[in-house]
Amino acid sequence: MTKNLQTLLEAAKKVVLTEEQKEQQRRSFAYGNTKIENSRITREMVDRAADALNQPKGEPSHRSE
C-alpha cells in the first residue's frame, strides 16, 4: 500500500457522518442494489419508499410527486 493511500485511509477513519449523510448513503446503497435486479427502479422510487418507512404509523407522507 502506498503512503498516500495509507494517509487517506487513516483520514477516512476519522470522518463522522451526519444523520442526513447516513440517510443519503443508505438510500444510495438501496438504489444501487435494487437497480441491479430491476432496471426500472428509479431514485425517486427509493426516496418514496424510504420516506414512507420513516413516517410514524398512521401518518400520510407529504412528499410531492
Side-chain angles (χ1 to χ4, degrees):
M1 183 176 327
T2 67
K3 183 173 174 126
N4 287 339
L5 180 56
Q6 185 64 37
T7 301
L8 289 171
L9 288 172
E10 291 303 318
K13 289 179 185 178
K14 297 174 186 171
V15 173
V16 178
L17 297 176
T18 66
E19 289 303 314
E20 182 179 347
Q21 289 170 323
K22 288 178 187 178
E23 180 66 14
Q24 290 171 348
Q25 287 287 327
R26 186 177 72 84
R27 290 179 186 208
S28 178
F29 179 81
Y31 170 73
N33 281 283
T34 55
K35 185 74 171 180
I36 291 169
E37 297 293 325
N38 183 344
S39 64
R40 296 180 300 174
I41 296 294
T42 65
R43 288 191 182 273
E44 291 78 20
M45 294 166 94
V46 171
D47 285 340
R48 283 195 304 267
D51 289 343
L53 289 171
N54 288 331
Q55 290 294 318
K57 290 187 178 186
E59 272 190 42
S61 175
H62 298 291
R63 185 175 181 91
S64 61
E65 301 301 317

